[in-house]
Amino acid sequence: MNSVTLPIVGHMCSPFREKFGIPRQPNLVNIESYIEMVEPYNDLLAFEGIEQFSHLWLIWQFHDNKNQETATKFRPQVRPPRLGGNEKIGVFATRSMYRPAPIGLSVVRLNKVEKVGKSLRVYVTGSDLLNGTPILDIKPYIQYSDAIVDAQSGYAQAEPERKSVLWSENALSTQQSLFKNKEINAQYLDELEQVLSLDPRPAYQEDPERVYKMKFSNFDIHFKVNGNVITVVDMVKDTSLV
Amino acid sequence: MNSVTLPIVGHMCSPFREKFGIPRQPNLVNIESYIEMVEPYNDLLAFEGIEQFSHLWLIWQFHDNKNQETATKFRPQVRPPRLGGNEKIGVFATRSMYRPAPIGLSVVRLNKVEKVGKSLRVYVTGSDLLNGTPILDIKPYIQYSDAIVDAQSGYAQAEPERKSVLWSENALSTQQSLFKNKEINAQYLDELEQVLSLDPRPAYQEDPERVYKMKFSNFDIHFKVNGNVITVVDMVKDTSLV
């Protein structure tokens, strides 16, 4: 089979520690994360002039796909969550991760490029990438050619609706003591609520008593969903992290 | 070195038979071209639903780079033609083809997907891809997340200016006889003039008497440039094609 081999130039460092909870497109949540560049790409010269651009494209690998290694057969159709997860559609009509070349494409806001010793970090806002995601390329966003204002996007035309996020009394008291101990801050809470408001559940699950768990940064967040309201019922330190 | 291997899913068929003349971004010229999908990706099921999208992203390989095989050393800076070709800038602040992962990213208009026997063709308008370019992925353009209307793009903020295209008497008479013999048509002439109006010359060459040659579809186009005027001086059948 004809193929192309591409280098990994960096890795994403983000609060998304598992796929559950990651927004389905970039720029739906204002979360800051950074790309840690790999040697020899950790060279400030390679970023000279990048500050002229407000936005960047990240081209990255869906590295955490199930059965990626063993799936040799091409599956031409997928069931996108946007369509409720039960309607099939052509894989090239989706941004599904289960595609021939497992490449993701995300536009992010550029905050700054910072060199600390040998480490070079590209800070961005709005990324939808799992922590550890391999980055294949970083390109400037060119407004006149990339921004197609009147593009029609069919089933993905509208932004997903947001739900309200409430806290149970129990979760609120945990939140407040974590806040006092400086284990979390206002930015963490804001980012967490943005992620929850997008309703991270799989499509078509409607049990208001079911408790879902989502890892976000170094906490396990427990929540319920009832109609348009998400209620945080607990937040627990993630013991899988040292 | 850590790397990722990706399959080639198709190849571009376009009138751009050499790099000289290719617009520096997609959507500057309204040229129709098509992607010929490779087996097993030539499956109509894989495109079901794609007609809901007006635009697509193509992710493709810069396959015609000089010294690609032998260039093992990372070069952090390039000289983009947009800056006149003599100013250096970081490679990640450009869309240069000479980058660690030689991947191109282009948005194109979707015209139609057509299956003829075993051949599956994705017809698009606005592509800036060389004939034969390997395609790694096709993704729908999602307007709400991809179109950043107020993005700042620094040195690449404005579209390139267009020049006027004139025909010498000699070239005009060749054009008219080719037209009569149905070797070219109005669409070909329109597309050719769009490409020429973007001034395909290398930066900072200002000899009004110099004749440049550009292959476009099955003709060699000879032209001169004087200030804001491009003059076609001849068009000759490309003898390298059978």
Side-chain angles (χ1 to χ4, degrees):
Chain A
M1 188 179 65
N2 274 324
S3 60
V4 182
T5 298
L6 303 171
I8 291 165
V9 300
H11 291 94
M12 178 54 74
C13 296
S14 87
F16 297 116
R17 310 201 86 92
E18 59 178 3
K19 274 191 263 175
F20 188 67
I22 297 188
R24 286 178 191 133
Q25 298 300 335
N27 275 307
L28 293 174
V29 294
N30 289 315
I31 290 180
E32 189 176 71
S33 51
Y34 64 87
I35 301 151
E36 174 92 44
M37 298 300 287
V38 167
E39 215 169 346
Y41 312 112
N42 58 346
D43 184 341
L44 215 44
L45 284 177
F47 293 89
E48 212 175 282
I50 205 167
E51 70 287 344
Q52 294 181 43
F53 295 89
S54 62
H55 290 75
L56 302 177
W57 287 110
L58 304 181
I59 297 182
W60 46 278
Q61 185 196 7
F62 288 110
H63 70 303
D64 197 36
N65 285 0
K66 281 175 202 155
N67 311 317
Q68 188 70 22
E69 303 298 325
T70 53
T72 49
K73 205 177 156 229
F74 170 54
R75 293 174 188 278
Q77 298 214 318
V78 296
R79 299 173 195 270
R82 186 72 177 234
L83 294 175
N86 52 9
E87 195 178 325
K88 277 191 181 179
I89 198 166
V91 66
F92 294 122
T94 76
R95 297 257 196 133
S96 165
M97 67 189 83
Y98 298 103
R99 58 198 311 114
I103 304 184
L105 179 64
S106 302
V107 60
V108 293
R109 236 178 307 134
L110 169 64
N111 297 336
K112 62 179 173 188
V113 176
E114 206 171 67
K115 184 113 194 191
V116 185
K118 279 200 168 181
S119 177
L120 189 146
R121 294 176 174 184
V122 182
Y123 285 85
V124 300
T125 298
S127 142
D128 54 344
L129 274 61
L130 191 64
N131 186 50
T133 295
I135 307 292
L136 304 178
D137 201 3
I138 298 171
K139 291 181 193 291
Y141 188 96
I142 298 184
Q143 194 269 345
Y144 78 78
S145 78
D146 295 341
I148 311 285
V149 181
D150 58 352
Q152 293 302 308
S153 309
Y155 69 84
Q157 190 67 31
E159 278 199 33
E161 283 178 29
R162 319 259 170 169
K163 301 196 170 181
S164 308
V165 177
L166 302 180
W167 292 72
S168 72
E169 270 186 48
N170 172 49
L172 196 61
S173 100
T174 308
Q175 184 211 97
Q176 285 163 348
S177 73
L178 288 168
F179 202 85
K180 263 188 212 154
N181 297 338
K182 297 185 176 166
E183 297 198 73
I184 59 172
N185 58 23
Q187 189 190 338
Y188 176 86
L189 287 173
D190 178 50
E191 293 178 353
L192 170 62
E193 291 194 355
Q194 288 185 51
V195 170
L196 288 173
S197 74
L198 288 166
D199 190 353
R201 292 173 309 160
Y204 285 140
Q205 294 210 358
E206 287 301 348
D207 177 358
E209 288 311 310
R210 179 163 170 181
V211 176
Y212 296 89
K213 293 182 187 176
M214 176 186 88
K215 291 187 193 304
F216 187 70
S217 191
N218 48 346
F219 288 92
D220 278 328
I221 311 301
H222 303 200
F223 65 94
K224 292 182 180 180
V225 187
N226 193 350
N228 283 317
V229 177
I230 309 254
T231 306
V232 183
V233 293
D234 209 353
M235 60 189 298
V236 181
K237 217 173 228 175
D238 182 351
T239 51
S240 70
L241 301 168
V242 185
Chain B
M1 188 181 65
N2 274 323
S3 60
V4 182
T5 299
L6 303 171
I8 291 166
V9 301
H11 292 94
M12 177 55 74
C13 296
S14 86
F16 297 116
R17 310 200 86 91
E18 60 179 0
K19 274 190 265 178
F20 187 67
I22 297 187
R24 287 177 192 135
Q25 297 301 335
N27 275 307
L28 293 175
V29 293
N30 288 314
I31 290 181
E32 189 175 72
S33 51
Y34 64 87
I35 301 151
E36 175 91 43
M37 298 300 288
V38 168
E39 216 170 343
Y41 312 112
N42 57 347
D43 184 340
L44 215 45
L45 284 176
F47 294 88
E48 212 175 284
I50 205 167
E51 69 288 345
Q52 293 180 46
F53 295 88
S54 62
H55 290 74
L56 302 177
W57 287 110
L58 304 182
I59 298 180
W60 46 279
Q61 184 196 5
F62 288 110
H63 70 302
D64 198 35
N65 285 2
K66 281 174 201 153
N67 313 319
Q68 188 70 20
E69 304 297 327
T70 53
T72 49
K73 204 175 157 233
F74 170 54
R75 292 175 188 276
Q77 298 214 318
V78 296
R79 300 174 195 268
R82 187 72 177 235
L83 294 175
N86 51 9
E87 196 178 324
K88 276 191 181 179
I89 199 167
V91 66
F92 294 123
T94 76
R95 298 257 196 133
S96 166
M97 68 188 82
Y98 298 103
R99 55 200 311 114
I103 305 183
L105 178 65
S106 302
V107 60
V108 293
R109 234 178 308 134
L110 169 64
N111 296 335
K112 62 181 172 186
V113 177
E114 206 170 65
K115 184 111 195 192
V116 186
K118 279 200 169 183
S119 175
L120 190 145
R121 294 176 175 184
V122 183
Y123 284 87
V124 299
T125 298
S127 140
D128 55 344
L129 274 62
L130 191 63
N131 186 50
T133 295
I135 307 292
L136 304 178
D137 201 5
I138 298 170
K139 292 181 191 292
Y141 188 95
I142 298 184
Q143 194 270 344
Y144 77 79
S145 78
D146 295 340
I148 311 286
V149 181
D150 58 353
Q152 293 303 308
S153 309
Y155 69 83
Q157 190 66 31
E159 278 198 33
E161 282 178 31
R162 319 259 171 170
K163 301 196 170 181
S164 308
V165 178
L166 302 181
W167 292 72
S168 71
E169 270 186 49
N170 170 50
L172 196 62
S173 102
T174 309
Q175 185 211 97
Q176 286 164 348
S177 75
L178 288 168
F179 203 86
K180 263 187 210 153
N181 296 339
K182 297 188 176 165
E183 296 197 74
I184 58 171
N185 58 24
Q187 190 190 337
Y188 176 85
L189 287 173
D190 178 50
E191 293 177 353
L192 171 61
E193 291 195 354
Q194 288 184 52
V195 169
L196 288 173
S197 73
L198 288 165
D199 190 353
R201 292 174 309 160
Y204 285 139
Q205 296 210 355
E206 287 302 346
D207 176 359
E209 288 310 311
R210 178 162 172 181
V211 176
Y212 297 89
K213 292 184 187 177
M214 174 185 89
K215 291 187 193 303
F216 188 69
S217 192
N218 47 348
F219 289 91
D220 278 329
I221 311 300
H222 302 200
F223 65 94
K224 291 182 181 181
V225 188
N226 193 351
N228 283 316
V229 176
I230 308 254
T231 305
V232 183
V233 292
D234 209 353
M235 60 189 297
V236 181
K237 218 173 229 176
D238 182 353
T239 50
S240 70
L241 302 168
V242 184

